[in-house]
Amino acid sequence: QRLKAAVHYTVGCLCEEVEEDKDVQFSKQCIAAISDITFRQCEIFAKDLEMFARHAKRTTVTTEDVKLLARRSNSLLKYITQKSEELASNNMEQKEKKKKKSSTAKGERIPGEQEAVVTENEDSNMA
């Protein structure tokens, strides 16, 4: 029920934006109808996504499932693909940062750094 209310609120806000931009009016019944259709379509999308994952013998919905769902809308598919690639690159950057932090916290050194330390030790032993 809260989710339905959230959809209704969002649709109302979007309709207000369109009203201002296009100089049109939406009745409360129209907004309610759009909200209801939107909610039903989201339920259909959720079931389709579950079925795509199940067909692939997975229990988790992936971005590939979402892309498959959006395949009929070129602009939506392009947007989802772009966002997916952005998220993937951000995740890779985060993993690299975590690796660097954990390796420096453990006292591990970068290969070039190890050679410098060994050279310093040899120099001090020779003196």
Coordinates of all heavy atoms in Angstrom, one line a residue, residues 58-96:
R58 N 19.0 -18.9 -12.6 CA 19.6 -18.0 -11.5 C 18.5 -17.6 -10.6 O 17.3 -17.6 -10.9 CB 20.2 -16.7 -12.2 CG 21.5 -16.9 -12.9 CD 22.0 -15.6 -13.4 NE 21.4 -15.2 -14.7 CZ 20.5 -14.3 -14.9 NH1 20.1 -13.6 -13.9 NH2 20.1 -14.0 -16.1
T59 N 18.9 -17.2 -9.4 CA 17.9 -16.7 -8.4 C 18.0 -15.2 -8.3 O 17.2 -14.6 -7.6 CB 18.1 -17.4 -7.0 OG1 19.5 -17.1 -6.6 CG2 17.9 -18.9 -7.1
T60 N 19.0 -14.6 -8.9 CA 19.2 -13.2 -8.8 C 19.0 -12.5 -10.2 O 19.4 -13.0 -11.2 CB 20.6 -12.9 -8.4 OG1 20.9 -13.6 -7.2 CG2 20.9 -11.4 -8.2
V61 N 18.2 -11.4 -10.2 CA 18.0 -10.6 -11.4 C 19.3 -9.8 -11.7 O 19.8 -9.2 -10.8 CB 16.8 -9.7 -11.3 CG1 16.7 -8.8 -12.4 CG2 15.5 -10.5 -11.1
T62 N 19.8 -9.9 -12.9 CA 21.0 -9.1 -13.3 C 20.7 -8.0 -14.2 O 19.5 -7.9 -14.7 CB 22.0 -10.1 -14.0 OG1 21.4 -10.5 -15.2 CG2 22.3 -11.3 -13.1
T63 N 21.7 -7.2 -14.5 CA 21.5 -6.1 -15.4 C 21.2 -6.6 -16.8 O 20.4 -5.9 -17.6 CB 22.8 -5.2 -15.5 OG1 23.9 -6.0 -15.8 CG2 23.0 -4.5 -14.3
E64 N 21.6 -7.8 -17.2 CA 21.3 -8.4 -18.5 C 19.8 -8.7 -18.6 O 19.2 -8.5 -19.6 CB 22.1 -9.7 -18.7 CG 23.6 -9.4 -18.8 CD 24.0 -8.4 -19.9 OE1 23.5 -8.4 -21.0 OE2 24.8 -7.5 -19.6
D65 N 19.2 -9.1 -17.5 CA 17.7 -9.3 -17.4 C 17.0 -7.9 -17.7 O 16.0 -7.9 -18.4 CB 17.3 -9.9 -16.1 CG 17.9 -11.2 -15.8 OD1 18.1 -12.0 -16.8 OD2 18.2 -11.5 -14.7
V66 N 17.5 -6.9 -17.0 CA 16.9 -5.6 -17.2 C 17.0 -5.1 -18.6 O 16.1 -4.5 -19.2 CB 17.5 -4.6 -16.2 CG1 16.9 -3.2 -16.4 CG2 17.2 -5.0 -14.8
K67 N 18.2 -5.3 -19.2 CA 18.4 -4.9 -20.6 C 17.5 -5.7 -21.5 O 16.9 -5.1 -22.5 CB 19.8 -5.2 -21.0 CG 20.8 -4.2 -20.4 CD 22.2 -4.6 -20.9 CE 23.3 -3.8 -20.1 NZ 24.6 -4.3 -20.4
L68 N 17.3 -7.0 -21.3 CA 16.3 -7.8 -22.0 C 14.9 -7.2 -21.9 O 14.2 -7.2 -22.9 CB 16.4 -9.2 -21.6 CG 15.6 -10.3 -22.3 CD1 16.0 -10.3 -23.8 CD2 15.7 -11.6 -21.7
L69 N 14.5 -6.8 -20.7 CA 13.2 -6.3 -20.5 C 13.0 -5.0 -21.3 O 12.0 -4.7 -21.8 CB 13.0 -6.0 -19.0 CG 11.6 -5.4 -18.6 CD1 10.6 -6.6 -18.7 CD2 11.7 -4.9 -17.2
A70 N 14.1 -4.2 -21.4 CA 14.0 -2.9 -22.1 C 14.3 -2.9 -23.6 O 14.4 -1.9 -24.2 CB 15.0 -1.9 -21.4
R71 N 14.5 -4.1 -24.1 CA 14.9 -4.2 -25.5 C 14.1 -3.5 -26.5 O 14.5 -3.2 -27.6 CB 15.1 -5.7 -25.8 CG 13.8 -6.4 -26.0 CD 13.9 -7.9 -26.1 NE 12.7 -8.6 -26.2 CZ 11.8 -8.9 -25.2 NH1 12.1 -8.5 -24.0 NH2 10.7 -9.5 -25.4
R72 N 12.8 -3.3 -26.3 CA 11.9 -2.7 -27.3 C 12.0 -1.2 -27.3 O 11.4 -0.6 -28.2 CB 10.5 -3.2 -27.0 CG 10.3 -4.7 -27.3 CD 8.8 -5.0 -27.3 NE 8.7 -6.5 -27.6 CZ 8.2 -7.3 -26.8 NH1 7.7 -6.9 -25.6 NH2 8.1 -8.6 -27.1
S73 N 12.6 -0.6 -26.3 CA 12.7 0.8 -26.3 C 14.2 1.1 -26.4 O 15.0 1.0 -25.5 CB 12.2 1.4 -24.9 OG 12.5 2.7 -24.8
N74 N 14.6 1.6 -27.6 CA 16.0 1.8 -27.9 C 16.6 2.9 -27.0 O 17.7 2.7 -26.5 CB 16.2 2.3 -29.4 CG 15.9 1.1 -30.3 OD1 16.2 0.0 -30.0 ND2 15.5 1.5 -31.5
S75 N 15.9 3.9 -26.7 CA 16.4 5.0 -25.9 C 16.6 4.5 -24.4 O 17.6 4.8 -23.8 CB 15.5 6.2 -25.9 OG 14.2 5.9 -25.4
L76 N 15.6 3.7 -23.9 CA 15.7 3.2 -22.6 C 16.9 2.1 -22.5 O 17.6 2.1 -21.5 CB 14.4 2.5 -22.1 CG 14.4 1.9 -20.7 CD1 14.7 3.0 -19.7 CD2 13.0 1.3 -20.5
L77 N 17.0 1.3 -23.5 CA 18.0 0.3 -23.5 C 19.4 1.0 -23.5 O 20.3 0.6 -22.8 CB 17.9 -0.6 -24.7 CG 18.9 -1.7 -24.9 CD1 18.9 -2.6 -23.7 CD2 18.7 -2.5 -26.1
K78 N 19.5 2.0 -24.3 CA 20.8 2.8 -24.4 C 21.1 3.4 -23.1 O 22.3 3.3 -22.6 CB 20.7 3.9 -25.5 CG 21.9 4.6 -25.7 CD 21.7 5.7 -26.8 CE 23.0 6.5 -27.0 NZ 22.8 7.5 -28.1
Y79 N 20.1 4.0 -22.4 CA 20.3 4.6 -21.1 C 20.7 3.6 -20.1 O 21.7 3.8 -19.3 CB 19.0 5.3 -20.7 CG 19.1 6.0 -19.3 CD1 19.7 7.2 -19.2 CD2 18.6 5.4 -18.2 CE1 19.8 7.8 -17.9 CE2 18.7 6.0 -16.9 CZ 19.3 7.2 -16.8 OH 19.4 7.8 -15.6
I80 N 20.0 2.4 -20.0 CA 20.4 1.4 -19.1 C 21.8 0.8 -19.3 O 22.5 0.6 -18.4 CB 19.3 0.3 -19.1 CG1 18.0 0.8 -18.5 CG2 19.8 -1.0 -18.4 CD1 16.8 -0.2 -18.7
T81 N 22.1 0.6 -20.5 CA 23.4 0.1 -20.9 C 24.5 1.1 -20.4 O 25.5 0.7 -19.8 CB 23.6 -0.1 -22.4 OG1 22.5 -1.0 -22.8 CG2 24.9 -0.7 -22.8
Q82 N 24.3 2.4 -20.7 CA 25.2 3.4 -20.3 C 25.4 3.4 -18.7 O 26.5 3.5 -18.2 CB 24.8 4.8 -20.7 CG 25.6 5.9 -20.3 CD 25.0 7.3 -20.7 OE1 23.9 7.4 -21.2 NE2 25.7 8.4 -20.4
K83 N 24.3 3.4 -18.0 CA 24.4 3.4 -16.5 C 25.0 2.2 -16.0 O 25.8 2.2 -15.0 CB 23.0 3.6 -15.9 CG 22.4 5.0 -16.1 CD 23.2 6.0 -15.4 CE 22.7 7.4 -15.6 NZ 23.6 8.4 -15.0
S84 N 24.7 1.1 -16.6 CA 25.3 -0.2 -16.2 C 26.9 -0.2 -16.4 O 27.6 -0.6 -15.5 CB 24.7 -1.3 -17.1 OG 25.4 -2.5 -16.9
E85 N 27.3 0.4 -17.5 CA 28.8 0.5 -17.7 C 29.4 1.4 -16.7 O 30.5 1.2 -16.2 CB 29.0 1.0 -19.2 CG 28.7 -0.1 -20.2 CD 28.7 0.4 -21.6 OE1 29.0 1.6 -21.8 OE2 28.5 -0.4 -22.5
E86 N 28.7 2.6 -16.4 CA 29.2 3.5 -15.4 C 29.3 2.8 -14.0 O 30.3 3.0 -13.4 CB 28.3 4.7 -15.3 CG 28.4 5.7 -16.4 CD 27.4 6.8 -16.3 OE1 26.8 7.0 -15.2 OE2 27.1 7.5 -17.3
L87 N 28.3 2.1 -13.6 CA 28.3 1.4 -12.4 C 29.5 0.3 -12.3 O 30.2 0.2 -11.3 CB 27.0 0.7 -12.1 CG 25.9 1.6 -11.7 CD1 24.6 0.8 -11.7 CD2 26.1 2.2 -10.3
A88 N 29.7 -0.4 -13.4 CA 30.7 -1.4 -13.5 C 32.1 -0.7 -13.3 O 32.9 -1.3 -12.6 CB 30.6 -2.2 -14.8
S89 N 32.3 0.4 -14.0 CA 33.6 1.0 -13.9 C 33.8 1.6 -12.5 O 34.9 1.5 -12.0 CB 33.8 2.1 -15.0 OG 32.9 3.2 -14.7
N90 N 32.7 2.2 -11.9 CA 32.9 2.6 -10.5 C 33.2 1.5 -9.6 O 34.0 1.7 -8.6 CB 31.6 3.4 -10.1 CG 31.4 4.7 -10.8 OD1 32.4 5.3 -11.3 ND2 30.2 5.2 -10.7
N91 N 32.5 0.4 -9.8 CA 32.8 -0.8 -8.9 C 34.3 -1.2 -9.0 O 34.9 -1.6 -8.0 CB 31.9 -1.9 -9.2 CG 30.5 -1.7 -8.7 OD1 30.2 -0.9 -7.8 ND2 29.5 -2.4 -9.3
M92 N 34.8 -1.2 -10.3 CA 36.2 -1.6 -10.5 C 37.1 -0.6 -9.7 O 38.1 -1.1 -9.1 CB 36.5 -1.7 -12.0 CG 35.8 -2.8 -12.7 SD 36.3 -4.4 -12.1 CE 38.0 -4.5 -12.7
E93 N 36.8 0.6 -9.8 CA 37.6 1.6 -9.2 C 37.6 1.4 -7.6 O 38.6 1.5 -7.0 CB 37.1 3.1 -9.5 CG 37.4 3.5 -10.9 CD 36.8 4.8 -11.3 OE1 36.3 5.5 -10.3 OE2 36.8 5.1 -12.5
Q94 N 36.4 1.1 -7.1 CA 36.3 0.9 -5.7 C 37.1 -0.3 -5.2 O 37.7 -0.3 -4.2 CB 34.8 0.7 -5.3 CG 34.0 2.0 -5.4 CD 34.4 3.1 -4.5 OE1 34.9 2.9 -3.4 NE2 34.2 4.3 -4.9
K95 N 37.0 -1.4 -6.0 CA 37.8 -2.6 -5.7 C 39.3 -2.3 -5.7 O 40.0 -2.8 -4.9 CB 37.4 -3.7 -6.7 CG 36.1 -4.3 -6.4 CD 35.8 -5.4 -7.4 CE 34.4 -6.0 -7.2 NZ 34.1 -7.0 -8.1
E96 N 39.7 -1.5 -6.7 CA 41.2 -1.2 -6.8 C 41.6 -0.4 -5.5 O 42.6 -0.6 -5.0 CB 41.5 -0.4 -8.1 CG 41.4 -1.2 -9.3 CD 42.4 -2.3 -9.4 OE1 43.5 -2.1 -8.9 OE2 42.0 -3.4 -9.8

